Amino acid sequence: MSISLASVLAFMSGCGTNEKAAMTGEDTKAKKQEAKQNVSVPVKDYTFDTAGNMFAYTEFELSGEPMVEALGLDLDVLDAAKVDQPTVFDYTAGIESYEYSEEAMYEVVEKSGLGLHMIHAPMIKQLAQKAGKKENEMLAQRFIELANAAGHKPDEIPRNMYPTFIEYSKGDPHYIQPVDTSKFADGENGTYIPKYQVDFKTLRWDRDKMDKTLVPAAYGSVFLKQALWASDFLGAMHTIDTEEEVEPKTDKDDENPNIAFGGDSTDGLQGLIMSEQMWNKAAYIRDSLFYNPQTGKLGKAEGASYDPKKQLVYLPHAIAVTENGDKEYTAATSLEVKDPRSLLQDQWLMLWALSEYFGMTDQREANANTNPAFRAVYDGKPFPAAPKQNIDNRADNDIRSDDPYSINRDLLLQIFKNIQMMHWNDKEGVFIAEHDGKQQGMHMDTFDAAYAMEALRIFQRAFDGLPVGYASGDDAKGLETKEGKAALDMIRKQADFIISKMIDEKGLVANGWTVGKGKDADAPTLKAQTGAIRGLTAAFLATKDPKYREAARKIYAAMDKYMWDDKVKAYKTSGDQYEYDAVVAGGVSGALRMGIASLHNIETDKEKIPALDRKTIISRYVDFYDRVIDGPALDQGMQTSEFWDTGDFYKEGDKSGNTDGDNVPQIQAGHGKYGIAPVLVPVEVKSK
């Protein structure tokens, strides 16, 4: 067992030279050049689904640079200008998957306007009131403070940002005016930096086409993206004079006048801006968005002292926002609960996000594993530290506080308790999909139950003081809290239920289960398979029990056997259909990463499964991105557009709108009169 576990977890810490030949994907370039005339991948709908996109891009991020670096790739060899180098797989993962993920997040939280403006954020208001300043002055002051803390020139902060502190559920990603692609500055090798990269004024979306609803899965998935990227950006420090990355030794290193936050000044600034957004988002959620079904009113979370057995107070599925009419600095004038149900999807996405954020903000004295760079960010400057009562080894002396750690802890514990009380059926050993505020439903959705296992895995690690983020596979000595033990117990029971009750004679997992009736009768979907693979692998990583890895391997093999179409180069999503939305795409990305990272054939496996040969999995990964995400033509595929970071450079005199010659246009060049943001839209793969 120790040999097997060490081998499959090699992904998390890098692999030896004997593994590298199996991971480079040298044979995939020829496959990518195959003629694509046999399929089309038309767009079905241009509605931007925030929850689906940000979930998918979370999986894309984790299936990007962190994965290829752990597999042994030197990230310095990756170059957006060198398409498909050093291999197709390396480029697809390290450049495309990773950078698509980052840019889509910025589109939502800094450019589009898809939410409420930071000027009206709760902590900005509080700081402004204390300082006797207007909110816009305080926000500007905070951005300057953050820029200085990152060693970034304040006058080089992007102009005309639309920073949001909470985001809406849906929108239309088409731009509403010509994108300013005029030259701002010369680049390298005949390229130039377009003005829109430093001035976001022309990148707004149509406010009249936004679904102005606050859905926990939507703002929670944005929160998750921000937490993962911020932890990546702020996990190191750098010298101001040379921009050289340095590993912090203590949480006082930033007191050196030549040391600043972030791996470089740009990463540091973005990491701190996202931290500012998360602080305000968490405060707004805690103090405004919790619902009491007994009174029918919105209010505050109770936090660490919350007892759901006395009275449920939870995040409802949908809250409608009435805006103040100001399109540039939008505020909410009123909130109205439109759907009071608690949905498991909402809760697990919030739990995952808050757990990642907890790993950054954790200041507990008993936790020896927090990165000193994170401690420095939250020691009072630039963000307030937690009061001593909230970070000692006692719970009976805790106080309510507005620092990031205390706010996040309040949210994390209340949502965890609500998942236990409202969505966990201990008798059956399953997570139930919904609760109406009075009673628990009867149906378990396989995908959501499985991802709840992953969210609980991250929760257990965060609350027990173990590394999360990109290091969520690292071993360390944890605090072994009662909450962590409860999370592990639920993970085990749900995993055992899937293994014993949900798998059919083909080895595929049913889409769901109804208490008292049994498995769903409809044909198993790709979504259910990817979820089960992700959840069972999470159970294996959390418990170290190899039976969960073996179960995930068998489901993966069945999925590959019955759902992969080698002619179309894509998985069937249901029956003979190939209909992909962002959630399904994210599930595929996650399942393939689990295959590459933890489920692939290793020396100690008794059965070597052909589908789990690492080269085979890598070929599926490349085909998936090439066919479904990028598509076979400029107006096809899920990824609507791209720019600098994925190789579509701007060159004077080049009007092609596609300088890298791939199948994804520049943002101003496709899918509409003025172009479209670089996001994911639903598609259907059709065989000609």
Side-chain angles (χ1 to χ4, degrees), residues 14-15 20 23-24 64-78 85-87 89-91 93-95:
C15 302
K20 290 182 181 178
M23 70 180 76
T24 55
E65 266 192 16
M67 180 174 72
V68 292
E69 184 177 31
L71 292 174
L73 180 70
D74 179 0
L75 297 180
D76 290 339
V77 306
L78 289 173
Q85 298 297 322
T87 71
F89 170 64
D90 294 330
Y91 188 88
I95 296 292

Side-chain angles (χ1 to χ4, degrees), residues 131 133 135-148:
K133 296 184 176 183
E135 286 84 356
N136 62 336
E137 294 173 337
M138 178 51 64
L139 182 62
Q141 178 182 316
R142 283 294 292 170
F143 271 54
I144 292 171
E145 290 174 358
L146 298 179
N148 288 331

Side-chain angles (χ1 to χ4, degrees), residues 109-158:
V109 303
E110 293 184 356
K111 303 174 183 179
S112 66
L114 188 70
L116 300 178
H117 198 285
M118 278 283 288
I119 281 179
H120 306 290
M123 301 317 302
I124 294 298
K125 286 185 176 182
Q126 186 181 110
L127 292 173
Q129 186 176 19
K130 288 181 179 179
K133 296 184 176 183
K134 294 180 179 179
E135 286 84 356
N136 62 336
E137 294 173 337
M138 178 51 64
L139 182 62
Q141 178 182 316
R142 283 294 292 170
F143 271 54
I144 292 171
E145 290 174 358
L146 298 179
N148 288 331
H152 194 286
K153 295 178 181 178
D155 60 359
E156 293 182 2
I157 297 173

Side-chain angles (χ1 to χ4, degrees), residues 213-217 314-319 339-343 345-346:
T213 307
L214 299 180
V215 173
Y314 60 92
L315 293 176
H317 176 57
I319 299 172
D339 188 340
R341 293 176 301 158
S342 173
L343 299 189
Q345 182 194 38
D346 292 333

Side-chain angles (χ1 to χ4, degrees), residues 240-469:
I240 295 175
D241 56 354
T242 64
E243 289 268 339
E244 180 183 359
E245 182 175 321
V246 294
E247 183 178 348
K249 304 299 182 185
T250 74
D251 58 4
K252 303 299 182 184
D253 286 13
D254 60 308
E255 295 179 2
N256 183 324
N258 193 42
I259 298 295
F261 294 111
D264 58 36
S265 60
T266 300
D267 283 358
L269 176 62
Q270 287 293 358
L272 292 174
I273 288 174
M274 284 186 283
S275 296
E276 185 80 7
Q277 291 172 307
M278 288 188 288
W279 180 27
N280 282 274
K281 190 194 308 284
Y284 188 71
I285 296 168
R286 185 192 68 172
D287 294 341
S288 303
L289 301 185
F290 275 79
Y291 178 70
N292 184 327
Q294 196 169 69
T295 64
K297 294 181 179 180
L298 291 169
K300 297 182 179 182
E302 296 177 31
S305 63
Y306 172 62
D307 184 353
K309 294 179 181 178
K310 293 181 179 179
Q311 174 59 52
L312 292 175
V313 181
Y314 60 92
L315 293 176
H317 176 57
I319 299 172
V321 175
T322 299
E323 294 185 344
N324 63 350
D326 187 338
K327 292 192 175 184
E328 284 304 312
Y329 303 103
T330 307
T333 58
S334 66
L335 303 175
E336 181 183 357
V337 176
K338 288 295 186 181
D339 188 340
R341 293 176 301 158
S342 173
L343 299 189
L344 181 60
Q345 182 194 38
D346 292 333
Q347 308 308 323
W348 69 252
L349 269 164
M350 279 298 301
L351 185 75
W352 188 359
L354 293 164
S355 299
E356 298 286 3
Y357 188 43
F358 192 83
M360 288 184 65
T361 61
D362 191 358
Q363 297 156 53
R364 289 174 297 175
E365 296 169 351
N367 183 6
N369 296 319
T370 305
N371 185 332
F374 296 156
R375 295 261 182 172
V377 171
Y378 294 100
D379 65 356
K381 186 179 180 181
F383 295 98
K388 292 293 185 181
Q389 300 97 309
N390 292 1
I391 60 175
D392 60 19
N393 292 326
R394 296 170 54 190
D396 60 348
N397 65 339
D398 290 354
I399 61 173
R400 193 173 184 86
S401 176
D402 288 334
D403 65 278
Y405 168 78
S406 298
I407 293 172
N408 189 68
R409 182 204 58 177
D410 287 348
L411 285 172
L412 186 65
L413 286 172
Q414 187 142 345
I415 289 173
F416 173 71
K417 292 175 183 178
N418 280 336
I419 289 176
Q420 281 184 300
M421 187 70 182
M422 302 176 75
H423 293 282
W424 177 246
N425 183 323
D426 193 59
K427 181 179 179 181
E428 297 285 334
V430 299
F431 290 105
I432 298 298
E434 68 175 71
H435 192 292
D436 67 5
K438 296 179 181 179
Q439 62 182 11
Q440 191 179 84
M442 304 291 283
H443 188 255
M444 181 202 81
D445 177 86
T446 298
F447 183 86
D448 284 324
Y451 266 93
M453 295 159 67
E454 171 63 4
L456 284 165
R457 181 181 80 89
I458 301 299
F459 168 81
Q460 180 265 323
R461 292 187 64 86
F463 212 74
D464 280 359
L466 300 171
V468 292

Side-chain angles (χ1 to χ4, degrees), residues 231-244:
S231 65
D232 178 31
F233 288 160
L234 298 177
M237 294 183 180
H238 70 278
T239 56
I240 295 175
D241 56 354
T242 64
E243 289 268 339
E244 180 183 359

